[in-house]
Every structure is written in C-alpha cells, then in structure tokens.
Amino acid sequence: AQKVTQAQTEISVVEKEDVTLDCVYETRDTTYYLFWYKQPPSGELVFLIRRNSFDEQNEISGRYSWNFQKSTSSFNFTITASQVVDSAVYFCALSEWATGFQKLVFGTGTRLLVSP
Amino acid sequence: EPEVTQTPSHQVTQMGQEVILRCVPISNHLYFYWYRQILGQKVEFLVSFYNNEISEKSEIFDDQFSVERPDGSNFTLKIRSTKLEDSAMYFCASKKGTGVSSYEQYFGPGTRLTVT
C-alpha cells in the first residue's frame, strides 16, 4: 500500500533560519516518483520537484534542497535562509508504477510559518 | 507559461443540487485528473482520465460523480446530487504524458465548492 507521512503539522521559524520538512513514504513498488508541492495562502498547488526512485542524488535549487534516501524511505526538503514568502503548506506526494503513475498520494502537509 | 484554469473559483449550491466544475487543462497534455481537499486536510485523488475514458478512480468517486471531456479543451467534473460533505476545494490537474520528464502533474487554482 502506498502512504506518505509528514509528521510535522506546523513549523514556525524566524526569517533567515534554515528549516527542514520531513517526508517518509511507503510503497511496495521499486519504481516510483516523489514530489513536493507548495500551497501558498492563495490556495493553488505549485509543483516544486520530482524525483524518481532510481536517482538518489540530492538536488539543490537556489535556497531549496532535497535529500532523498531510499534506505530510510525519506525525501526531505530543506529551505535555507527562509523568507516570509516561503510561508505555505508543503505537501510531499508519491506516484507508483503499479498505478501507471496515474495518481498522486499526498501526505497531510506541513504548514510553514516564517515570521519577519 | 501555459497553465491549468478552472471555473468558477467559488461555487455555492444547495444540498441535492447538481454542480459542474470546469477545467481547461494545458493544451498539449494527455492525462487529466480531479482531486479534492476538504478544508485543512490533505489533497485526495478522485479520478484520472486518459484517451476519453477513466483510467483510475478512488473509492470517493462514487456514482454521484462523473467526468467528461466534452470538447478538445474542457474537462468537467459533475456531482449529481450534492451533499454537505462534498464541500471542499476541487483541483483539476493535467500531465503531459509518460515521457521521461512528463511525470509531474500541474494543478489549476481550484474551485471552492460550498454545499449548504
């Protein structure tokens, strides 16, 4: 069964702090994709990153970085030097080969509050 | 940059009424989806649609729900007889295809459905 767990429901930081959002997933598939989406207060879902199960290289994009570790079934997201505009709910999601990658299974989200 | 659009942004309806939520996916995308998010909860998969037919649906997507691609651009979700528990944000998403860089789904801004 596929499942995504985001144990942190809400994190509050002060601007310029680094913050890591945790994501743990469960799947029986060996081929799958992991995603992070951002949901700002305006409500839309914004795609941030996709990772496939065969690529464990960490990725950095500006202030964002992602750490994928198959050994611990985790796909964590770090924001360096956080800014107020980073305040949003962040969702981790999983898509499996067994479903033809036809659906995303989301975690419950982590609300990040960045205060000035 | 092409984007998924949804109308209306907010729909208020009375219990038992039929509603149709509309989406225009990104024009060269082949796969279409509906998700819903009850306020404060996670995003849940409803249905996927490809080649003019449903490819997968969740247990939420019962006989009260239907989807249609009536022309080359629109993708609709119909709820036949709305219930109070159908109140949620409904997101449409589209995906380009199954090529290597085509696994991410792009989401529309959502339609907030309020059933009174």
Side-chain angles (χ1 to χ4, degrees), chain B residues 83-99:
Chain B
K83 308 188 207 55
L84 292 176
E85 53 265 37
D86 293 327
S87 295
M89 180 75 93
Y90 287 81
F91 290 102
C92 174
S94 69
K95 184 175 78 168
K96 192 172 183 181
T98 54

Side-chain angles (χ1 to χ4, degrees), chain B residues 12-36:
Chain B
V12 182
T13 189
Q14 288 192 327
M15 204 164 52
Q17 295 296 304
E18 173 183 288
V19 294
I20 296 177
L21 310 183
R22 300 180 195 282
C23 168
V24 179
I26 295 172
S27 64
N28 62 345
H29 283 193
L30 303 176
Y31 295 81
F32 314 114
Y33 307 86
W34 284 101
Y35 291 80
R36 81 170 185 194

